[in-house]
């Protein structure tokens, strides 16, 4: 059935580059968090998925650059932007924020400036992106985003969060969080796991004027993850035939082949993830199949995102079965439950999920950072340790 909004929520959010609306699911906390009052996306297929799952939330299907403040209802408490990441991705060409797609952030920022001029600026701004933003443009892109927010009077900080702490998918993402008129829980210094060494290095490169507006946001690490890849799989999904399986296994490097042989020899039933990569050896590009049996899938990506569609590998009774990851399995790996309506096309479903944000990560940020800041219920001194 369609996913309902949080009708009784007093706090409101706008979701830009919304995709299928997974960020909104995490923000709502099943009706106890923030209510999304407006969403926006330029992609027609994603707009259809959003409307199918959030029929009561207004959606503007248009380029972010075309939006104007008059289209934004009231004064939203939080504005979320999962702006396109292809041009700053570690797997991409890294053209930076000046490139057409990732430059869409500045369309979002122009809209925020318009709201600010009318006295309707959100108290919290969130930019979600790949961790490649930390080093894109030799660090200038990250600095530019932080500087824009700081110059507008926001306190800005960032967290690098891997969805693998909650879900059986390795998916590190960067969350830049800026607050004005709200005080979020913070630390006196960076602390793992959400303040990584690369985030600290990016912070060190920031101009001093930006550092004076910086906060190391405090967020509690979750309990140990109790899900693994096998728990989200569809047991009846068909596997490849013997010829196709052998052709794929022939792409294994000697190291990965040896690991697989050891698992087969153990006699255990093991479930893993596999994906094809292009590796360079002796100056030549070779297509390789790489496997992992650590209970995690690799990071979900879109078909054009630098990595092919993932496979599921099942080792049992001395045999290896391979098949493609399904759209429903991808949705589960993003934290969307089975009530979520996926596109009929497997390719479209995988693209939708590959571009999405993991629901439990957004929920953790909402519960541990956004709501305490917006309700004034920050516990302990602002610089207390975690």
């Amino acid at each position: 059935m369609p996913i309902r909004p949080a009708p009784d929520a007093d706090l409101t959010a706008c979701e830009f580059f919304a995709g299928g609306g997974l960020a909104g699911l995490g923000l709502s906390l099943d009706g106890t968090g923030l209510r999304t009052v407006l969403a926006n996306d330029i992609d027609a297929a994603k707009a259809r998925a959003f409307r199918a799952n959030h029929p009561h939330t207004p959606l503007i299907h248009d380029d972010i650059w075309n939006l104007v403040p008059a289209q934004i209802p009231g004064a939203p408490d939080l504005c979320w932007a999962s702006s396109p990441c292809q041009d700053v991705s570690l797997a991409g060409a890294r053209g930076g924020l000046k490139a057409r797609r990732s430059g869409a952030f500045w369309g979002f920022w122009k809209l925020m400036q318009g709201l600010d001029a009318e006295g309707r600026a959100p108290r919290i701004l969130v930019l979600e992106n790949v961790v490649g933003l930390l080093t894109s443009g030799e660090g200038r892109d990250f600095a530019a985003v932080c500087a824009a927010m700081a110059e507008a009077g926001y306190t800005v900080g960032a967290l690098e969060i891997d969805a693998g702490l909650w879900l059986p998918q390795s998916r590190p993402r960067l969350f830049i969080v800026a607050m004005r008129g709200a005080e979020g829980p913070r630390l006196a210094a960076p602390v793992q796991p959400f303040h990584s060494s690369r985030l600290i290095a990016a912070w060190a490169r920031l101009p001093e004027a930006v550092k004076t507006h910086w906060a190391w946001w405090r967020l509690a690490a979750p309990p140990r993850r109790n899900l693994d890849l096998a728990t989200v799989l569809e047991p009846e999904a068909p596997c490849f035939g013997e010829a196709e399986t052998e052709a794929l296994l022939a792409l294994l490097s000697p190291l990965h082949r040896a690991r697989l042989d050891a698992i087969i020899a153990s006699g255990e039933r093991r479930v893993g993830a596999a994906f094809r990569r292009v590796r360079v050896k002796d100056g030549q590009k070779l297509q390789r199949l790489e496997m992992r049996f650590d209970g995690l899938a690799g990071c979900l990506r879109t078909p054009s995102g630098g990595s092919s569609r993932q496979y599921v590998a099942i080792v049992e009774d001395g045999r290896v079965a391979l098949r493609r990851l399904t759209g429903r399995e991808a949705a589960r790996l993003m934290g969307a439950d089975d009530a979520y309506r996926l596109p009929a096309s497997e390719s479209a479903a995988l693209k939708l999920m590959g571009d999405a944000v993991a629901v439990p990560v957004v929920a953790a940020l909402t519960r541990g950072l956004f709501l305490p800041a917006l309700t004034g219920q920050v516990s302990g001194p602002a610089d207390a340790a975690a």
Side-chain angles (χ1 to χ4, degrees), residues 339-351:
Y340 189 92
R341 293 180 173 176
L342 291 171
S345 161
E346 280 288 287
S347 178
L350 289 163
K351 183 177 188 299

Side-chain angles (χ1 to χ4, degrees), residues 108-267:
F108 166 76
W109 186 245
K110 177 176 176 288
L111 186 62
M112 295 301 101
Q113 289 177 308
L115 287 177
D116 198 4
E118 297 179 1
R120 299 192 290 132
R123 289 186 283 165
I124 298 181
L125 296 169
V126 186
L127 174 65
E128 180 255 344
N129 214 292
V130 295
V131 295
L133 180 58
L134 293 170
T135 53
S136 174
E138 298 181 344
R140 291 187 297 272
D141 292 335
F142 177 69
V145 170
C146 294
M149 294 176 173
E151 289 167 6
Y154 283 87
T155 298
V156 61
L159 306 98
E160 182 181 328
I161 305 178
D162 191 339
L165 291 171
W166 291 265
L167 297 163
Q169 180 198 173
S170 173
R171 190 179 187 83
R173 286 294 184 266
L174 179 69
F175 298 84
I176 300 176
V177 178
M179 298 190 187
R180 194 178 76 183
E183 291 291 335
R186 63 175 75 183
L187 298 157
V191 172
Q192 293 283 357
F194 302 131
H195 303 132
S196 64
S197 58
R198 52 190 166 189
L199 173 57
I200 295 169
W203 167 83
R205 293 190 295 266
L206 291 175
E208 290 301 320
V210 177
K211 287 182 180 178
T212 61
H213 290 266
W214 184 267
W216 294 108
W217 300 124
R218 187 178 75 206
L219 186 67
R224 183 174 180 178
R225 173 176 52 85
N226 58 8
L227 296 175
D228 64 21
L229 179 60
T231 63
V232 306
L233 298 183
E234 298 183 283
E236 303 303 321
C239 295
F240 298 140
E242 184 176 349
E244 189 170 0
T245 298
E246 289 302 320
L248 285 168
L249 293 178
L251 300 177
L252 290 168
S253 68
L255 176 61
H256 281 261
R257 180 77 245 190
R259 289 174 178 170
L260 178 60
D261 288 342
I263 291 172
I264 294 171
S266 73

